[in-house]
Amino acid sequence: MGHSFSSRHCLAATLLLGVAILGGCQQGPSSTQNTLNPTQAGAEPVRESELRAYCPAVTLRDGTNYFRTYERGGEGDPDRIVYQASIADTSRACKYGADATTMTVAVAGKIVPGPKGRTGAVDMPIRVAAVRGDEVLYSNLFRHSVTVGDTAGATQFVFTTADVVIPGGVDPAVQLFVGFDEGPQGGR
């Protein structure tokens, strides 16, 4: 079971933790416009109203938290699984603008080799979508590649996108979804 975290995975995990902390700082709206001191030199001041503003939680739809790849011609056969990826945690953070809200969305998970597992790149289709009722505000299908260097254990991954833009801002009617999606390649 000898696999190790690369510095890239540690950086990504640190980013996910930071996004989780920021995402947890939400409560009801407030009219207070106090500015809090930034913790890092050169960082933009954060208003208390931004910390208390609504930022939609990330939701996984049923059946989208795992993804399997099979040996060619072996679709559906558990003895011919090459990899199974699963999502273990999600997070988000919102940055509020005058005309839109920009969200950073992070997904953490792991890839476990199956009976036909091998080392190499695993491409995972990860969709991020935001909806308000029946209206799709944002939808993008990403191809996230992770290199599996050892078939004796799990390989962890973190996927982050910082450009989820919701025109007109967010309110409690906005829902944010992430998950694996084997739909059409490449697009919105």
Side-chain angles (χ1 to χ4, degrees):
M1 262 202 211
H3 68 279
S4 63
F5 264 125
S6 68
S7 61
R8 180 176 172 217
H9 286 113
C10 288
L11 177 61
T14 302
L15 176 63
L16 182 62
L17 179 61
V19 170
I21 290 169
L22 287 175
C25 295
Q26 68 174 4
Q27 295 178 5
S30 170
S31 62
T32 307
Q33 295 297 316
N34 297 338
T35 300
L36 302 176
N37 292 331
T39 58
Q40 296 178 332
E44 293 181 25
V46 177
R47 294 181 310 207
E48 183 179 344
S49 63
E50 290 177 320
L51 291 174
R52 296 184 182 275
Y54 178 77
C55 190
V58 179
T59 302
L60 286 168
R61 290 190 182 194
D62 287 340
T64 66
N65 65 325
Y66 66 90
F67 171 71
R68 291 184 183 124
T69 58
Y70 294 88
E71 194 175 50
R72 183 171 294 222
E75 286 73 19
D77 182 348
D79 293 328
R80 297 181 71 185
I81 294 173
V82 180
Y83 305 106
Q84 179 168 305
S86 62
I87 295 173
D89 200 7
T90 61
S91 189
R92 84 289 185 232
C94 292
K95 184 172 182 173
Y96 306 93
D99 300 324
T101 300
T102 302
M103 295 190 294
T104 298
V105 178
V107 175
K110 64 183 176 181
I111 300 169
V112 178
K116 300 295 180 178
R118 57 183 178 265
T119 61
V122 177
D123 289 324
M124 297 176 290
I126 298 175
R127 180 166 303 274
V128 177
V131 298
R132 182 183 291 120
D134 292 335
E135 179 186 10
V136 176
L137 305 171
Y138 176 93
S139 180
N140 201 351
L141 181 61
F142 298 90
R143 301 302 294 182
H144 183 62
S145 185
V146 176
T147 300
V148 173
D150 183 2
T151 60
T155 300
Q156 295 187 10
F157 71 89
V158 174
F159 165 78
T160 303
T161 181
D163 64 353
V164 178
V165 178
I166 308 300
V170 294
D171 57 58
V174 174
Q175 293 180 288
L176 180 63
F177 295 101
V178 300
F180 293 115
D181 182 355
E182 298 179 69
Q185 298 290 317
R188 293 179 177 231

